[in-house]
Amino acid sequence: MRHQLIKRMGDQKGSSDEILHNLFTLMKIYKDGRVERLSGTDVVPAGLDAETGVLSKDVVISPEPKLSARLYLPPRTPAGRKLPLLLYFHGGAFVVESAFSPTYMKPLNMLAAEANVLIVSVDFRLAPEHPLPAAYDDGWTALKWAASHAAGNGGEEWLKEYADFDRVFLGGDSVGANISHNMALRVGSTENNNVDGVKINGLFFNCPFFWGEEKIGNEGAIPIFCTFFETIWRVALPEATGLDDPRINPAKDPELGKLGSKRVLIYVPENDPLKHRGWLYKEALVSSGWQGAAEVVEVKGEHHIFNLNNPTCDNAMAMLKKLATFFQDHNP
């Protein structure tokens, strides 16, 4: 399925090879409307993972617009005990990858087993066919769907039987962290910071994708990364008001203090061009008047989404142990 070509406009005959946007190893968008995905299209089936004992399955959240998810159930599920629930949003620059990608199968199996957490990995719609706020809207639909099971309703047995709706988390890597943040802001705008009676116990951001007009740290010294990140945002949200749009630059959001969670854990690898944005996010939260606790973990010697690229390395294993403590903590 790699190098899959998706025809969006017009006919293949007479198409132009002139490129409008080039997202390097991810995607090419041609001026005639064609989209060529260069990675992130492979999928693997759900099932029992022999290494961890985690069982996964795929579910349909909404038939229209189409929205699915992959659920991960850890093996340690004794009767009568509920598990923390993590809604996970994958990365891929808003344009590639899915909840069914091999990139996520091993890391999420390992996370479910180590942290003893029930995971709902959301397969949100991708740009440019579905520009933002489609991914945000899908995230909200998935959260509302999960929360609908809190009173024993809903049709997903794993959620009804195993999910502890007093310990619900939002998290993801790269743009998935961006989606999680924007979901938490929506939660914060609801009455009593809850959705269908479910409160968000914490947020987990891995290499969060935030950016801004003004460069910070050493961002300006790496022009190719600046161009790449700015192009991602133009492709994901063509109507954006710029790089200080609060959806990509939370530090410019006057409503940031309303974030609907009191705990945030942020991972920023030392060699990630986005790392300064993770630190800025914490600083902006503190100065916004937000009443919560945010922690940034900077991982020495690592690069963007290091734990997905090498899920068994020492730093990735240390992250798993840290997350297990974070998800099992009963603080509000």
Side-chain angles (χ1 to χ4, degrees):
M1 294 180 65
R2 288 189 181 275
H3 303 281
Q4 178 182 9
L5 207 61
I6 299 178
K7 184 170 63 173
R8 295 175 58 226
M9 296 172 55
D11 189 87
Q12 189 76 8
K13 182 179 179 180
S15 64
S16 170
D17 289 333
E18 204 171 350
I19 295 174
L20 178 64
H21 294 300
N22 187 354
L23 292 176
F24 304 107
T25 62
L26 301 180
M27 168 183 284
K28 292 179 182 178
I29 302 176
Y30 295 90
K31 286 191 174 180
D32 65 1
R34 290 180 299 131
V35 175
E36 184 181 5
R37 287 189 165 86
L38 305 174
S39 64
T41 60
D42 291 348
V43 298
V44 291
L48 177 65
D49 181 58
E51 184 176 346
T52 61
V54 171
L55 184 62
S56 60
K57 67 177 178 180
D58 299 334
V59 299
V60 175
I61 293 175
S62 167
E64 187 59 40
K66 184 179 180 182
L67 179 60
S68 301
R70 177 160 290 179
L71 276 57
Y72 295 81
L73 181 68
R76 302 193 302 277
T77 52
R81 285 189 57 188
K82 299 291 187 177
L83 303 173
L85 175 64
L86 168 64
L87 263 71
Y88 190 90
F89 300 94
H90 66 78
F94 293 113
V95 299
V96 297
E97 293 291 359
S98 75
F100 318 117
S101 166
T103 301
Y104 291 94
M105 196 66 178
K106 185 178 183 70
L108 291 185
N109 275 324
M110 294 175 65
L111 177 57
E114 178 68 30
N116 207 31
V117 60
L118 175 61
I119 301 175
V120 176
S121 180
V122 182
D123 192 48
F124 54 86
R125 288 171 291 171
L126 300 177
E129 296 90 344
H130 305 283
L132 294 175
Y136 299 148
D137 292 341
D138 287 351
W140 189 249
T141 297
L143 177 57
K144 296 277 287 184
W145 170 80
S148 71
H149 295 77
N153 301 317
E156 176 44 54
E157 291 300 322
W158 284 6
L159 289 177
K160 289 193 290 186
E161 185 172 354
Y162 298 111
D164 183 348
F165 291 98
D166 289 328
R167 290 186 291 165
V168 177
F169 296 82
L170 304 176
D173 62 280
S174 196
V175 300
N178 177 292
I179 295 171
S180 300
H181 158 74
N182 281 282
M183 292 304 95
L185 278 181
R186 289 198 190 187
V187 171
S189 68
T190 62
E191 185 177 359
N192 299 320
N193 280 15
N194 64 49
V195 178
D196 293 336
V198 172
K199 288 194 174 183
I200 305 303
N201 195 271
L203 307 176
F204 163 55
F205 298 165
N206 181 20
C207 311
F209 177 69
F210 301 124
W211 202 244
E213 295 284 358
E214 181 181 356
K215 302 301 175 281
I216 59 176
N218 65 347
E219 290 173 349
I222 320 173
I224 191 170
F225 285 124
C226 295
T227 300
F228 179 61
F229 298 142
E230 291 161 14
T231 302
I232 287 173
W233 190 240
R234 285 198 300 272
V235 170
L237 186 59
E239 295 81 16
T241 57
L243 293 170
D244 284 339
D245 185 304
R247 289 168 290 189
I248 192 174
N249 190 356
K252 297 293 185 179
D253 191 349
E255 303 296 311
L256 182 60
K258 295 181 180 179
L259 192 74
S261 175
K262 298 303 182 185
R263 293 196 298 151
V264 183
L265 177 60
I266 306 166
Y267 266 78
V268 290
E270 179 184 18
N271 299 320
D272 188 348
L274 293 169
K275 77 171 184 179
H276 304 290
R277 297 293 163 174
W279 284 105
L280 179 61
Y281 185 89
K282 177 183 177 180
E283 296 169 9
L285 271 179
V286 172
S287 62
S288 73
W290 173 72
Q291 299 297 310
E295 179 183 0
V296 179
V297 178
E298 183 166 333
V299 187
K300 301 301 181 184
E302 296 291 1
H303 295 78
H304 191 64
I305 61 170
F306 68 95
N307 66 306
L308 301 181
N309 295 324
N310 189 1
T312 59
C313 72
D314 289 345
N315 284 328
M317 299 303 291
M319 176 192 282
L320 283 181
K321 294 185 182 302
K322 177 85 171 180
L323 287 174
T325 300
F326 184 69
F327 293 140
Q328 294 298 333
D329 193 331
H330 287 260
N331 286 335

